[in-house]
Amino acid sequence: MAARDNDTEPDYCRGIYAAGPGSKDIYVQSVISLGLGFIALFAFCILRPRWKTLYAARKRRSDPQIALPVLPDSFLGWIPALYRVTEEQVLASAGLDAFVFLNFFKMSLRLFSAMLFFALAVLWPIHKMFDTVERGDGNKDISNVEWSFQTYPVQSAGTFTIQDDKDRSYLWAYLVFTWFFSLLTIYYMDTETTKVVKIRQDYLGTQSTVTDRTFRLVGIPQDLRSEEKIKQFVENLEIGNVKSVTLCRDWAKLDALMAERETILRKLEETWTAFLAQTPKTGVGPPAPANPNGDRPTNNDEESQESSRLIASNSLQDLIAERKRPEIRIRFGFLKIRSRSVDALDYYEEKLRRLDEKIQEARRKEYRPTATAFVTMDSIAACQMAVQAVVDPRPGRLLTKPAPSPSDVIWRNTYRPFYRRRFQSWSITISISFLSLIWLLIVAALAQLLSICNIRKIAPSFGKSLESHEITGALVRTGLPTLIVSLLNVLVPYLYDYLSNRQGMVSQGDVELSVISKNFFFVFFNIFLVYAVSGSAALSQFWRIIRDSLRDTRTIALGLAKGISELNNFYLNFIMLQGLGLFPFKLLQFGDLALYPIYRMGAKTPRDFAQLMKPTLFNYGFYLPTALLVFILCLVYSILPGAHLVLLLGLFYFGLGYLVYKYQLLYSMDQPQHATGKAWQMICERIVLGLLVFQIVMISILVLRLAFVQAVLVAPLLLSTFCYLFYHRRRFTPLTKFIALRSIKRHSDPGTESRPDEDPATRRSETRLARRLSTIDEDKEKGMRFVNPSLVAPLEQPWIYTDPPPPLIRDESAITISSDSIGNGNSDNGGSDSRPRDLISGMLSGSSSFSLGDTHIWRENGNGNGNDNGNGGATDM
């Protein structure tokens, strides 16, 4: 039966060549990608000037002193204006992280432009002359593989079928350009790293923020866990004076109360919104204008103004009194078996008032100290000496680390026990390892769609129909796998972001770097390695490959080289879809557009609507890993047949990516994290990883083509690149983590002496204005301290009307006005007297002797400002 089935199979399914993606697939994918891209770009150019709350959200909220250029509202006029924004303006308006991210795209453009020149001038003619295209299109092939590696004879059963060309002199070009492109990549990376390090040191050395003067002290022993002892200990090191110490304590109870208060506050706002949205029982309308023309009364007519205010107040009272007050059923008593419907407004107001009392009391308590503290020095130099020194001779004790920005600190993780944070970290790591196995199964099964032969084995009739319809076959073979891989590439980062936020890290910047690392591992391992190996073999053979590679590491290398040779069209389509098709959708912020109606329907309160107007957050962990994968793909295919197409698409990808991300970082999206450009070292290490993969693939391809001499001569390059990684870490890593002491600008430095008539503050101001590089971080941290917000944050009032309520004084309750307010359930105001407030208080406290506190409702006045003067601001209701 097996033989009969084999006889019915086409020749290309018997090992003559693989029926993988061909030229028709590239044509179909290019039409799809360009169509999607032009539609999204056209929509963006139409919507951009009309929806500035989305597409200029960050620009509208930025400091006018930054002087970021205003982009013209013309259809495409914003592109050259955006291109002309300088690196200094990027630093001034978006900071170091954005500068580093965009410089990776600029470096990639320069590198692949140089590679494209040599690919067109030298490699393309060589490929045309020797006809070395070895894909599944009917030409010569190396794809007939049986996965056994005891021996390597040519054209021998049970081994790789290796092409035995008579003339393999062209493979010397592979050797030369493997060395040349590797050295060229290292040169560009080294040059760009030197530039990034210099700008980072100048940027951080000439600014003065509380973060730059603060370090985090961990592993504090029990006998030093007090602010006074820590201050004395640090000052005894004789590196400088301590300005303040924040010893982290076990604030879990206080943080839980603040979280509960936030929930109750939102419920109270939603209840008030539902109450005010009702139609009054009687048609009481707004007060009539003071004169027939509808003009507002003049200032001279004080009596008319007073009458108008009284009419407005009475009308508002009537409007509220005629509405039916919302109710909520609460349970109380023994085992909560009793229940009763009560006034929802009174219930949540009483809950909020009681929580305010508990929070005020909790803020005055003393809490157990932990082993972590934030120490703020009087100078940046003193802080840097502390973080770059070994303080204590005991392992794990009194370790100094750079502090994150105060707004970046995840306070709940500062007081969690070390063993619990370690357990969280290992649990997440094990979960990600388990997920990697799941992705491996999904990607390996998905890769089978790349071959009609594999489709025929799974669904014979469907495979035959694809053979007869070339366009449909191209869509299924390449369009569908590319789309699913791209969707995985979009959705999986959200899962890894969720897991990283629960890994116990102390700052959001560390979480961001962790997301970058996790997502890169996903795209590199699954979309590149697993896809390349599984796409060149049937699913049953794939597991044999995995099994054999555990016994012989050469298996995975040769399998990767074979897969890379056959899947160049698939990766071409992948880069094409990511660049030409999806980048315009990222510029359009399609996700925000699609979700906006859902969020809009779900928005109930003024606070919810204000949230809709905030800029979308830019997450580097969602975008950088894909860009690194495309960089590695361009490196790997930079010498193989079709290299000019891959490099050309790579240029389009990084060119469009530079413009899209530059627009989002500067104008439309916010980036609250404060990582000070630390992602550059991660970028460099992954570029070196790409170089190592590129060289291993080239060695394997040369071995498959019997060019053993050339393969051996590439081996020293592999070793040199590996050594360069350690050299790069030793040379540049400290400068990407710390601030060099010589970079810190002091008034005693040569050339910085002040004039006799010039005070030091003026000199510092002129120094900063001369470089204009650091005000974004200084502005963000102005007035900030390393204090848990739960200890000092004002208790927010309910946001009922359009304008937000003014902040409260610390320790003041949000429920402050007398209980004889309008609409409180008294029968005098037309309400029902069946919901007395003392009943609610009694059910909450366990007795009926506790009366409800005061209620304060905010109403919008004519000027849009809340006040207490009876003119429509804060009103006793």
Side-chain angles (χ1 to χ4, degrees), residues 101 172 187 253 293 327 414 456 535 537 584 749 802 825:
F101 182 72
W172 286 101
Y187 168 77
K253 180 179 178 181
N293 296 327
E327 295 182 349
T414 61
R456 282 176 59 94
D749 290 343
T802 303

Side-chain angles (χ1 to χ4, degrees), residues 239-402:
I239 58 175
N241 297 321
V242 175
K243 192 169 183 180
S244 66
V245 176
T246 300
L247 179 61
C248 298
R249 300 176 181 272
D250 188 3
W251 295 302
K253 180 179 178 181
L254 179 59
D255 288 343
L257 287 173
M258 292 294 290
E260 184 181 358
R261 187 187 189 276
E262 177 70 17
T263 302
I264 297 300
L265 181 67
R266 293 299 182 95
K267 290 182 178 179
L268 176 59
E269 291 174 346
E270 291 177 4
T271 307
W272 263 106
T273 302
F275 173 57
L276 296 177
Q278 297 178 28
T279 303
K281 297 178 182 178
T282 59
V284 180
N291 56 63
N293 296 327
D295 299 331
R296 297 181 63 88
T298 61
N299 292 333
N300 295 331
D301 192 0
E302 297 180 1
E303 186 175 346
S304 175
Q305 291 183 26
E306 184 67 24
S307 175
S308 175
R309 284 196 295 270
L310 289 174
I311 293 174
S313 177
N314 292 333
S315 299
L316 180 63
Q317 294 176 10
D318 293 337
L319 284 170
I320 293 180
E322 290 297 329
R323 290 180 170 93
K324 180 182 178 182
R325 293 176 66 87
E327 295 182 349
I328 184 175
R329 179 168 291 275
I330 61 174
R331 295 189 172 274
F332 60 97
F334 179 70
L335 296 179
K336 305 291 184 182
I337 59 176
R338 299 178 61 190
S339 65
R340 181 165 183 172
S341 294
V342 298
D343 187 290
L345 294 175
D346 292 344
Y347 175 77
Y348 288 127
E349 286 170 0
E350 174 66 9
K351 289 269 288 186
L352 190 65
R353 189 188 65 79
R354 285 174 171 270
L355 279 172
D356 288 349
E357 290 179 351
K358 290 181 181 179
I359 290 171
Q360 292 164 12
E361 182 182 356
R363 286 177 170 179
R364 291 189 289 268
K365 288 184 178 179
E366 286 289 330
Y367 294 94
R368 178 183 61 84
T370 65
T372 301
F374 292 97
V375 182
T376 302
M377 306 298 292
D378 62 342
S379 67
I380 301 175
C383 176
Q384 289 301 311
M385 284 189 283
V387 297
Q388 298 181 43
V390 179
V391 174
D392 196 272
R394 295 168 293 180
R397 294 291 186 93
L398 297 171
L399 303 177
T400 55
K401 303 176 183 293

